[in-house]
Amino acid sequence: LCMSSSVAGHKRAFGSDTVPGCYEDYEQAELFVLIGSNAAWCHPVSFQRIRAAKAAGAMSGILHFEGAEAIDENLYALEVFYQAGLRSIGPVWSRPTIFAEGVPFRHHHSPDTGPGLTAIGKELIKACNARNIMIDLSHMNEKGFWDVAKISTAPLVATHSNVWNLSQTTRNLTDKQLAQLIQLLQKMYQ
């Protein structure tokens, strides 16, 4: 699997800068996937484009970061990755970043494992909201969860968390957190 988001990247990956639909302008950058000898368009930034890719028989996917380590403290890289297709991000992956405290893997332990979002983390959430980048709360500790819920103006998801009352692991969500996610979704769809 080889991904590229610019003419220069295609030239490095494929030995040619003449890939159809590829633009030097980041505003129009497309991602391509090389599978065997077939290259297929893969930059669906909308539901309509996902359906179009599926109808065309092309593989597609949404670019997601599990942990925001690739984003700099000034958030410049966020815009670059957004232009390359980033539409979903988890600010942490089970370890601290400049944005927040992740939850270490601990069993029989509360998700309340330390401080929440940093000042830069709060700016990251606002910048993601401004770009419609989905925030994934999986791997976020409890204080970070509540910080994001307070700041975010968009629906939130926890794509791979479970119920803490069923399995007391730091990554899992308490009933109060689950109720908050439901309440936020209900508010968005009223």
Side-chain angles (χ1 to χ4, degrees):
L1 187 68
C2 181
M3 293 183 133
S4 176
S5 63
S6 69
V7 172
H10 280 284
K11 192 166 191 162
R12 284 191 304 276
F14 305 123
S16 169
D17 61 359
T18 59
V19 179
C22 185
Y23 304 92
E24 288 181 343
D25 182 354
Y26 274 110
E27 298 276 329
Q28 301 176 37
E30 300 288 344
L31 288 179
F32 285 79
V33 176
L34 179 67
I35 302 168
S37 62
N38 300 318
W41 169 67
C42 181
H43 185 241
V45 293
S46 71
F47 184 69
Q48 294 79 14
R49 288 179 77 176
I50 292 171
R51 283 197 163 168
K54 183 178 178 184
M59 177 182 267
S60 66
I62 300 295
L63 183 57
H64 169 83
F65 283 0
E66 177 94 350
E69 288 89 348
I71 310 294
D72 60 289
E73 66 185 26
N74 296 312
L75 307 180
Y76 298 135
L78 181 65
E79 183 61 27
V80 173
F81 290 121
Y82 174 77
Q83 293 298 328
L86 181 67
R87 295 297 182 271
S88 174
I89 192 167
V92 295
W93 184 85
S94 297
R95 59 184 170 263
T97 69
I98 61 172
F99 303 109
E101 188 78 19
V103 287
F105 293 108
R106 291 188 196 146
H107 293 283
H108 307 292
H109 196 283
S110 161
D112 185 13
T113 60
L117 292 177
T118 64
I120 299 167
K122 292 173 184 176
E123 293 306 312
L124 174 68
I125 300 306
K126 292 173 189 174
C128 287
N129 283 173
R131 291 166 180 80
N132 292 319
I133 297 173
M134 182 174 69
I135 306 296
D136 187 347
L137 296 167
S138 299
H139 298 282
M140 182 76 70
N141 70 4
E142 191 169 9
K143 285 186 177 92
F145 174 99
W146 293 112
D147 287 346
V148 174
K150 188 167 138 184
I151 293 167
S152 183
T153 58
L156 302 170
V157 297
T159 61
H160 54 287
S161 298
N162 291 298
V163 179
W164 188 83
N165 279 339
L166 298 178
S167 178
Q168 289 80 35
T169 306
T170 51
R171 269 193 46 206
N172 292 339
L173 302 175
T174 65
D175 287 349
K176 188 175 175 186
Q177 290 172 296
L178 292 169
Q180 179 67 25
L181 288 176
I182 292 167
Q183 182 182 9
L184 289 169
L185 284 171
Q186 288 172 335
K187 193 172 16 171
M188 294 303 292
Y189 293 104
Q190 287 181 355

